[in-house]
C-alpha cells in the first residue's frame, strides 16, 4: 500500500470523521482521482511539440496521456475543429497516491521561491486545481532532454461535500497551503 494511502486510512479518515462529526467512515472525504492537464497551443505549428509533452507527462505520471482535440473552430486563434491542442492523464488508485506523494514531498518544495500554495483554488465542491509553471520540479525530468519549459495543471478531485472539508483533507495529507499571515 502506498505510504500516503496508509496514512489516510489510519490517521486522516478518523480525524476527519471526528472533526466534521460524520457517522460513517464512508462519509469521510477522500481523494478520488488526480487529473494532469497540459495545453500545447504551439502544437498547431510544431507537431513534434506534442510528442515531447506526451513523453514528459508519461515520465512524470507513469501513465500514457490522452491527446485532447479542439471541440470547435476559433478563427482568431487559427484553430480548427479536431486539431490536437493538449494532453491529459487521469490517475486513480496506486498511481494517484504515489503521484500525490511525489507532488507534495518532492516537487512543490523544488518550486523556486516557494512559500506555499494558494488556498483559493477550490471550486465549491471540494476539488482543488493548481498550476505548475514548469515540468522541471519533478526529479524524473532530465534538464538536457526537454525542448521547452511548459506549465501544466493538476486537479485533485475529492469526495468532499464542500471546500472546507476538501481543504482540511488536503491539509491533513500534507499539502502546504499558505497561511493567512504570509
Amino acid at each position: 500500500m502506498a505510504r500516503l494511502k496508509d496514512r489516510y486510512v489510519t490517521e486522516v479518515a478518523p480525524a476527519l470523521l471526528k472533526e466534521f462529526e460524520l457517522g460513517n467512515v464512508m462519509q469521510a472525504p477522500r481523494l478520488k482521482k488526480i487529473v494532469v492537464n497540459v495545453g500545447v497551443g504551439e502544437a498547431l505549428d510544431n507537431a513534434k511539440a506534442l510528442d515531447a509533452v506526451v513523453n514528459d507527462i508519461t515520465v512524470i505520471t507513469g501513465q500514457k496521456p490522452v491527446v485532447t482535440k479542439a471541440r470547435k473552430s476559433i478563427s482568431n486563434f487559427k484553430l480548427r475543429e479536431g486539431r490536437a491542442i493538449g494532453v491529459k492523464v487521469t490517475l486513480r488508485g496506486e498511481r494517484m497516491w504515489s503521484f500525490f506523494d511525489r507532488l507534495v514531498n518532492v516537487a512543490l518544495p523544488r518550486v523556486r521561491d516557494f512559500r506555499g500554495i494558494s488556498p483559493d483554488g477550490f471550486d465549491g465542491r471540494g476539488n482543488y486545481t493548481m498550476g505548475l509553471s514548469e515540468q522541471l520540479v519533478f526529479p524524473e525530468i532530465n534538464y538536457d532532454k526537454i525542448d521547452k519549459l511548459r506549465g501544466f495543471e493538476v486537479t485533485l478531485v475529492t469526495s468532499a461535500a464542500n471546500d472546507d472539508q476538501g481543504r482540511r483533507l488536503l491539509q491533513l495529507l500534507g499539502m502546504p497551503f499558505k497561511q493567512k499571515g504570509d
Side-chain angles (χ1 to χ4, degrees):
M1 190 184 305
R3 185 173 65 89
L4 269 180
K5 183 177 182 184
D6 185 43
R7 183 166 153 223
Y8 171 78
V9 171
T10 57
E11 299 172 20
V12 176
L16 290 170
L17 286 173
K18 190 178 226 179
E19 185 174 334
F20 294 112
E21 299 172 358
L22 302 172
N24 189 340
V25 73
M26 295 305 286
Q27 290 177 317
R30 65 185 177 278
L31 205 54
K32 283 183 171 177
K33 65 183 176 180
I34 296 177
V35 180
V36 178
N37 180 28
V38 184
V40 190
E42 68 180 283
L44 299 174
D45 303 326
N46 181 5
K48 292 191 187 274
L50 200 62
D51 296 335
V53 172
V54 167
N55 290 335
D56 286 350
I57 297 300
T58 302
V59 169
I60 289 172
T61 61
Q63 185 172 314
K64 187 164 177 166
V66 174
V67 175
T68 56
K69 299 187 183 309
R71 281 184 257 153
K72 61 190 227 180
S73 300
I74 302 172
S75 63
N76 288 345
F77 298 127
K78 297 179 182 151
L79 180 65
R80 297 287 165 254
E81 184 177 344
R83 298 278 308 262
I85 56 170
V87 298
K88 74 172 185 175
V89 61
T90 303
L91 303 169
R92 291 184 171 88
E94 292 297 319
R95 284 195 184 120
M96 172 188 73
W97 287 106
S98 69
F99 177 79
F100 185 73
D101 192 9
R102 284 185 291 120
L103 176 73
V104 170
N105 296 318
V106 178
L108 287 178
R110 289 180 60 165
V111 173
R112 194 175 316 133
D113 297 332
F114 183 69
R115 290 190 178 92
I117 58 173
S118 171
D120 301 330
F122 286 91
D123 66 351
R125 294 191 175 101
N127 305 320
Y128 183 76
T129 301
M130 61 182 275
L132 292 172
S133 57
E134 56 186 32
Q135 72 270 39
L136 288 176
V137 295
F138 285 93
E140 297 90 5
I141 299 293
N142 187 352
Y143 181 76
D144 299 329
K145 300 239 170 119
I146 64 167
D147 60 335
K148 183 181 173 190
L149 291 178
R150 289 188 181 84
F152 56 94
E153 271 186 354
V154 177
T155 302
L156 307 169
V157 180
T158 67
S159 66
N162 55 36
D163 288 349
D164 294 331
Q165 288 184 5
R167 187 175 293 110
R168 189 66 185 140
L169 166 69
L170 295 178
Q171 280 176 343
L172 290 174
L173 286 173
M175 188 66 96
F177 289 110
K178 284 182 187 169
Q179 301 303 319
K180 295 282 184 203
D182 292 344

